[in-house]
Amino acid sequence: MEFHMQVSLIIVLFVFGPTTIFSSSSVSSNGLSEIPFKLLDFAQKPQVFDWMVGIRRKIHENPELGYEEFETSKLVRAELDKMGIDYKYPIAVTGVVGFIGTRKPPFVAIRADMDALAMQEMVEWEHKSKVPGKMHACGHDAHVAMLLGAAKILKEHEKDLQGTVVLLFQPAEEGGAGAKKMIDGGALENVNAIFGLHVANHVPIAEVASRPGPFFAGSGFFEATISGKGGHAAIPQHAIDPILAASNVIVSLQNLVSREADPLDSQVVTVGKFQGGDAFNVIPDSVRIGGTFRAFTREGLMQLKQRIKEVIMGQASVQRCSATVNFLEDEKPLSPPTINHKDLHEHFRNVSGDMLGIHRVKDHQPLMGSEDFAYYQEAIPGYFFLLGMADDKLGPLHTPHSPHFQINEDALPFGAALHASLAIRYLLELQQEVPLSAQEYHDEL
C-alpha cells in the first residue's frame, strides 16, 4: 500500500507539475488546490474549446425531445469511442453511462441532460435549430458539450485517478423523469456521490452559485375537469354553471398557500390553464383547468397534492358540479425537491474557490424551478450548482425556456473543468478517508 501511494504521487507530480498534489497526511495541500486551476487551463486550450463549441452547435442544430435523443446519444457515443472511454448503452432508452479510471471504488458521477424543448427558436444565427418546433432553450446542448469536455480532461489524466468517474448522459429531464429511469437502469450502481450543473443567464461568467440544503423546489402538475349542465346564459337557473365552480376552485386553491402552509416554508400553487365555453351567451357543460404545485419538501408536495384534490372536488360539489382530478403521473411524474448535501457543499466551495477565487463562489437563494437531478439526490449524496454565463459585452441574456435563449460559449471550459475537478478531488479526498479495502462494490461494470 505504501509503495502504491508513492508511485501514485510520482505520477500526479509528473502531470500536474512540481508541486505536491496530495499527501497522505492532508487533503488540503497546495498540490490539491492547484488541480482545478490547471484543469481549467487545459479546458481553455483553443483546440479543446473549439471542439466543445463544435459539439454544442451540432447538438443545437438538431434538438430532440425527451426519450427521442437518438442522434444526440449517437454523437455522445461516437466521441466516447474516439477517446477510448467504455460505456453502457442504452439506459433509459437513449441514456449513456461512461466509465473513466480504475473501474474500482470509490465511484463518483457527473451528469448532463440531453433533451430539448417543444418550441420554435427565434434566434437568427448560423446554427439555429433545423427542426421546426424544437429548440435547445434550456442549455442542455451546452451541458452535454461540457460533460464531454470533462471526459476529455479526465481521460487525459486517467492514470492519476484514484477510483472511477461515472459519466451520466441523461434523457428527458424536462418533465420526463429521465433521472429516475437512469437510476432504475442501474446508472448509480456503486456510486458514492454525484455532481451536476446548469447554465445560468443571471450569474456572471467565471462565477458559480449554489447553496446547501433545498435549492430547487419539487413540483407536480394537475388537470381537472369540472362538469355541470349547459344552458342559455339568459336563464342560468336551468343550468349548472361549471365556470362559476371553476372560478371558486381557483380562488380556494390560493388559500392552500396563504392559510395552510407555514409562511417560512415557501410553496406555490398556480393555475395556468382555464378552458371552457365557445360562445358569449352559452353556459358550457364542462370546464378544464390545469396548473402546477411546488414545495421544498416531499412532505409539502404530498400535502399540496392531497389538498388540491380535496379543494377541487369540494368546491365543485358546493356549486352542484362534479369533478375529476388527474395528477398526470405517467406523463409528468412528481419531481422531488433538489436538496444539496451539506458536506458536498463544502467540497464544491473548496474546489470552485481554488479554480475561480472564493469571491466568485456565491450563495444563491432557493429557486421555485424544479430539476430532476433531485432523483439522484434521493438515492445518494448529490450536489447541483449554477454556472454563470452573463457578460456585459453580450448584453442581457434571455431566461431558459425563452425562444430567444442563447448560450455564452465562453462558459464551456469552466463547466468542463469544474466537472472534472469536482470528481478528481472527491476521489482523492475520499481515498484519504476510506481505505480501498474498506469499500464495497459490485463488480458488474
Side-chain angles (χ1 to χ4, degrees):
M1 186 66 178
E2 181 180 354
F3 174 76
H4 171 74
M5 293 290 288
Q6 290 173 349
V7 171
S8 298
L9 179 58
I10 292 170
I11 293 173
V12 173
L13 285 169
F14 175 77
V15 174
F16 289 106
T19 305
T20 301
I21 295 301
F22 71 92
S23 68
S24 58
S25 61
S26 171
V27 296
S28 59
S29 65
N30 290 336
L32 272 179
S33 66
E34 289 182 2
I35 292 175
F37 182 79
K38 292 188 175 183
L39 296 188
L40 176 60
D41 185 64
F42 180 92
Q44 290 178 322
K45 290 181 177 179
Q47 62 268 35
V48 178
F49 174 73
D50 292 343
W51 172 75
M52 284 191 288
V53 168
I55 289 173
R56 183 253 154 175
R57 292 178 177 180
K58 286 179 185 176
I59 297 172
H60 188 87
E61 289 179 352
N62 298 281
E64 298 170 298
L65 304 182
Y67 300 117
E68 299 175 2
E69 309 94 333
F70 295 102
E71 291 303 313
T72 304
S73 178
K74 182 178 178 181
L75 182 153
V76 166
R77 299 194 312 275
E79 294 299 332
L80 295 178
D81 285 336
K82 291 175 187 176
M83 289 185 271
I85 295 173
D86 294 336
Y87 56 83
K88 287 184 177 181
Y89 170 84
I91 295 180
V93 185
T94 58
V96 181
V97 177
F99 304 93
I100 305 176
T102 64
R103 304 293 286 266
K104 294 180 180 180
F107 290 78
V108 62
I110 45 181
R111 169 267 203 174
D113 37 17
M114 301 189 293
D115 55 324
L117 289 161
M119 57 193 306
Q120 183 65 39
E121 181 168 7
M122 302 299 290
V123 182
E124 296 297 335
W125 68 305
E126 183 181 356
H127 299 282
K128 181 179 178 179
S129 170
K130 296 179 179 179
V131 184
K134 298 179 184 179
M135 176 191 178
H136 271 290
C138 201
H140 297 186
D141 50 345
H143 297 170
V144 174
M146 288 186 284
L147 188 55
L148 284 170
K152 182 177 284 288
I153 296 170
L154 292 164
K155 187 63 178 179
E156 186 77 11
H157 304 104
E158 184 172 29
K159 61 182 178 297
D160 308 308
L161 294 177
Q162 302 295 303
T164 306
V165 180
V166 182
L167 312 170
L168 268 58
F169 296 90
Q170 176 206 310
E173 187 276 331
E174 299 288 357
K180 185 176 186 301
K181 293 201 176 194
M182 292 285 284
I183 295 169
D184 293 342
L188 293 186
E189 185 74 35
N190 301 315
V191 176
N192 301 86
I194 185 169
F195 297 91
L197 62 78
H198 202 295
V199 290
N201 67 302
H202 64 287
V203 178
I205 188 80
E207 291 189 10
V208 290
S210 191
R211 63 181 290 108
F215 190 17
F216 286 78
S219 69
F221 299 88
F222 66 92
E223 279 187 339
T225 299
I226 299 170
S227 300
K229 178 183 176 183
H232 198 290
I235 47 173
Q237 71 274 23
H238 295 304
I240 299 175
D241 191 348
I243 290 182
L244 178 61
S247 300
N248 284 330
V249 164
I250 293 170
V251 172
S252 296
L253 286 174
Q254 300 313 304
N255 292 333
L256 299 183
V257 174
S258 67
R259 286 297 175 265
E260 296 187 18
D262 185 336
L264 300 180
D265 180 16
S266 298
Q267 297 183 3
V268 165
V269 177
T270 296
V271 175
K273 179 169 69 174
F274 192 120
Q275 299 171 338
D278 296 306
F280 294 108
N281 60 346
V282 176
I283 295 171
D285 284 319
S286 64
V287 169
R288 292 180 64 196
I289 65 171
T292 183
F293 56 101
R294 300 177 183 238
F296 284 104
T297 65
R298 181 171 276 279
E299 295 74 19
L301 279 177
M302 298 311 294
Q303 174 68 9
L304 282 176
K305 180 181 177 183
Q306 176 184 333
R307 292 292 290 133
I308 286 169
K309 183 174 182 179
E310 291 173 352
V311 166
I312 292 173
M313 301 293 285
Q315 284 296 327
S317 177
V318 166
Q319 302 298 328
R320 301 179 296 150
C321 292
S322 61
T324 59
V325 183
N326 182 2
F327 287 96
L328 307 171
E329 293 184 1
D330 291 335
E331 306 162 42
K332 297 178 178 292
L334 195 72
S335 177
T338 303
I339 302 176
N340 281 334
H341 194 278
K342 65 178 182 179
D343 293 339
L344 296 183
H345 176 69
E346 290 306 311
H347 177 72
F348 165 75
R349 281 182 56 83
N350 292 337
V351 172
S352 301
D354 288 340
M355 179 183 294
L356 308 171
I358 197 62
H359 62 290
R360 290 178 174 164
V361 182
K362 301 299 179 66
D363 291 329
H364 201 289
Q365 66 182 6
L367 296 167
M368 273 296 173
S370 63
E371 165 59 59
D372 87 345
F373 186 84
Y375 286 108
Y376 301 122
Q377 293 174 312
E378 285 197 322
I380 61 173
Y383 196 84
F384 195 76
F385 65 96
L386 299 179
L387 177 72
M389 60 175 188
D391 191 333
D392 291 340
K393 294 181 293 184
L394 300 178
L397 295 173
H398 288 270
T399 59
H401 293 220
S402 163
H404 301 281
F405 180 78
Q406 292 177 280
I407 291 289
N408 179 358
E409 293 173 333
D410 289 341
L412 299 182
F414 293 100
L418 279 165
H419 266 317
S421 299
L422 287 165
I424 288 176
R425 284 270 293 265
Y426 180 85
L427 294 178
L428 288 171
E429 293 170 18
L430 190 63
Q431 283 282 29
Q432 298 296 309
E433 298 172 8
V434 184
L436 179 62
S437 59
Q439 300 177 34
E440 297 182 0
Y441 76 105
H442 302 285
D443 191 11
E444 300 172 355
L445 303 178

